[in-house]
Amino acid sequence: MLLTQQQILPPQQHDSWATHTQRAVFSDISFGFMPAFKDLRNEQIHLSVDQQGELSVMHMIDHLPDQWVDERDDRGRPVSLKAGIIAGFMRNGQFYTLRQLMGQLHDS
């Protein structure tokens, strides 16, 4: 799921979406942090999604753009990503690496 700054929903829209669909939104139970990947070359960000295309609660590389995949297994599933693709988290329109998040915890 490719995101641009304009496509990221503010928290009040997440709440109304969750009420409408009667499902919990991952961002509501994870303090708004959603697993994501970022291409450092062009700054594109994709949220991690599961097999059904729903937001995932963990980093999954299966549904990232083909051009981000470096190697696939015999069944065609991605097993590695190209250099420059990093894992992190999206929150409030900002991408964070795990290192950034851990640094913020130590600073607080």
Side-chain angles (χ1 to χ4, degrees):
M1 177 180 291
L2 174 66
L3 289 183
T4 63
Q5 290 289 90
Q6 295 77 24
Q7 292 171 310
I8 299 166
L9 297 176
Q12 64 272 21
Q13 287 182 333
H14 281 297
D15 293 341
S16 64
W17 182 83
T19 302
H20 176 69
T21 61
Q22 300 300 311
R23 292 190 292 179
V25 176
F26 175 67
S27 61
D28 293 342
I29 58 174
S30 64
F31 304 104
F33 289 98
M34 298 176 287
F37 294 88
K38 181 177 185 176
D39 185 336
L40 296 175
R41 295 167 297 178
N42 58 23
E43 302 292 311
Q44 280 190 343
I45 298 169
H46 285 263
L47 290 175
S48 185
V49 296
D50 62 20
Q51 296 294 340
Q52 292 75 36
E54 301 289 332
L55 292 177
S56 176
V57 296
M58 67 182 95
H59 289 90
M60 298 181 73
I61 65 173
D62 294 33
H63 299 289
L64 291 176
D66 287 336
Q67 63 267 26
W68 288 18
V69 176
D70 187 47
E71 184 180 355
R72 294 183 181 274
D73 66 16
D74 294 338
R75 297 186 326 229
R77 294 186 61 194
V79 293
S80 67
L81 299 175
K82 291 184 178 177
I85 308 298
I86 61 170
F89 298 88
M90 285 294 294
R91 182 172 189 239
N92 294 332
Q94 179 70 36
F95 184 87
Y96 297 92
T97 64
L98 187 55
R99 179 173 291 208
Q100 289 171 316
L101 294 175
M102 294 305 291
Q104 289 179 5
L105 287 175
H106 291 294
D107 292 341
S108 57

